[in-house]
Amino acid sequence: MRLDGKVCIVTGAGSGIGRASALLFAEEGATVAAADIDGSAEGVTHVVDVADEEQTRALAAAVLDEYGRIDVLFNNAGIAGVGDLEETSLELWERVMRVNVRGVFLMSRAVAPAMIRQRSGSIVNMSSAIAETGLARRVSYAASKGAVLALTKSMQVDLAPLGVRVNALMPGTIMTPFVEGYLRDSYADPEEGRRSIRSRQLTGELGTPEDVAHAALFLASDESRFAFGSGLVIDGGLTAGR
Ligand SMILES: NC(=O)c1ccc[n+]([C@@H]2O[C@H](COP(=O)([O-])OP(=O)(O)OC[C@H]3O[C@@H](n4cnc5c(N)ncnc54)[C@H](O)[C@@H]3O)[C@@H](O)[C@H]2O)c1
């Protein structure tokens, strides 16, 4: 049991990577607060908009009230934004930055005081391989994930002396409901979209939510005790093969 006795918050836990992580963390002995803006999603225990300051504070308070501590915060909630510079409206830019960057900032700020009091904790932030590798028509999304990586390192410098680790995940393309939907919308034949994803990687395998959940488990657990401010790439060779 790699998270035995640990209290974990997973945001965006209603779907995809967040859902797979919440299930895996629970299997590994954790008590999981599964937070999502979508209260109808299966398994969600706390309905929270991570970009709403009051709701993030209320979530941290509720978890502390119920379990007395917070060991892990997995800032996974995020939304996509498709568009090049001209296609990207200010509204889309602000929506993407609001959830993906402000959400990570607010959730971390709500939870960090408890971890600092405990002198222990692990924050795992969801960045993306796109923070380091350009991809067409992802202006807002790439900016948001680059910001998360920079935020991770900066937070880590401040929080390391206080006993809290902060690391980021940098997945490539992962077959979640969001990506499946994107393939359906963008390609007449979704198989063509899958072929194009495979061709960018060093493996013919497609990434699954569980692949990323296992990486999140490592960063969440004490097994990663020597990892500080890192960005763990898990992308089927997308970045290495460039
Ligand atoms: N799927 C990929 O290829 C991929 C690659 C790299 C990074 N990521 C990142 O991984 C994370 C999860 O992605 P996924 O593919 O599992 O997506 P998903 O759409 O399947 O799940 C995201 C979940 O986040 C929730 N959410 C959205 N806005 C929220 C908010 N304001 N507050 C709380 N919850 C909110 C949604 O309701 C949903 O349940 C995202 O941050 C995404 O950017 C995904």
Side-chain angles (χ1 to χ4, degrees):
M1 294 288 233
R2 296 160 68 186
L3 293 176
D4 202 20
K6 295 211 190 268
V7 176
C8 305
I9 297 177
V10 178
T11 70
S15 172
I17 295 166
R19 181 175 151 70
S21 301
L23 291 171
L24 181 62
F25 287 13
E27 267 171 39
E28 291 293 339
T31 299
V32 179
D36 203 289
I37 198 168
D38 179 2
S40 69
E42 205 189 321
V44 170
T45 58
H46 295 76
V47 181
V48 177
D49 176 357
V50 294
D52 182 301
E53 183 177 14
E54 221 168 279
Q55 292 185 34
T56 59
R57 288 197 196 283
L59 172 62
V63 174
L64 280 173
D65 203 40
E66 202 167 347
Y67 306 114
R69 56 185 297 114
I70 305 173
D71 299 292
V72 172
L73 168 62
F74 183 15
N75 279 314
N76 163 77
I79 59 171
V82 177
D84 66 18
L85 195 56
E86 286 180 293
E87 290 164 334
T88 301
S89 65
L90 181 58
E91 191 273 330
L92 175 63
W93 172 271
E94 287 184 340
R95 186 151 36 93
V96 170
M97 296 301 273
R98 185 172 189 277
V99 178
N100 295 7
V101 185
R102 174 180 156 135
V104 173
F105 164 68
L106 287 177
M107 275 307 310
S108 302
R109 210 176 51 160
V111 166
M115 293 181 166
I116 292 168
R117 272 196 307 278
Q118 295 161 193
R119 308 282 305 175
S120 77
S122 173
I123 299 178
V124 182
N125 292 332
M126 183 55 91
S127 178
S128 164
I130 207 172
E132 289 187 343
T133 308
L135 186 63
R137 301 179 62 233
R138 294 293 190 287
V139 163
S140 58
Y141 185 72
S144 75
K145 294 303 184 182
V148 169
L149 187 60
L151 174 62
T152 298
K153 293 180 184 180
S154 193
M155 278 169 56
Q156 180 63 95
V157 171
D158 296 331
L159 291 175
L162 304 172
V164 180
R165 294 185 303 110
V166 190
N167 291 283
L169 287 169
M170 302 174 70
T173 305
I174 307 300
M175 287 299 133
T176 63
F178 157 71
V179 171
E180 297 281 7
Y182 172 74
L183 291 183
R184 269 197 307 276
D185 296 345
S186 313
Y187 293 88
D189 174 12
E191 191 45 46
E192 192 195 326
R194 290 194 196 95
R195 263 199 303 277
S196 138
I197 292 166
R198 286 192 180 95
S199 72
R200 295 200 300 257
Q201 302 178 164
L202 296 180
T203 170
E205 298 285 332
L206 291 169
T208 67
E210 287 71 27
D211 290 327
V212 184
H214 278 98
L217 170 64
F218 169 67
L219 291 178
S221 80
D222 296 337
E223 291 164 10
S224 59
R225 58 181 277 274
F226 202 54
F228 283 77
S230 69
L232 177 54
V233 175
I234 170 140
D235 69 352
L238 175 81
T239 345
R242 285 238 155 182

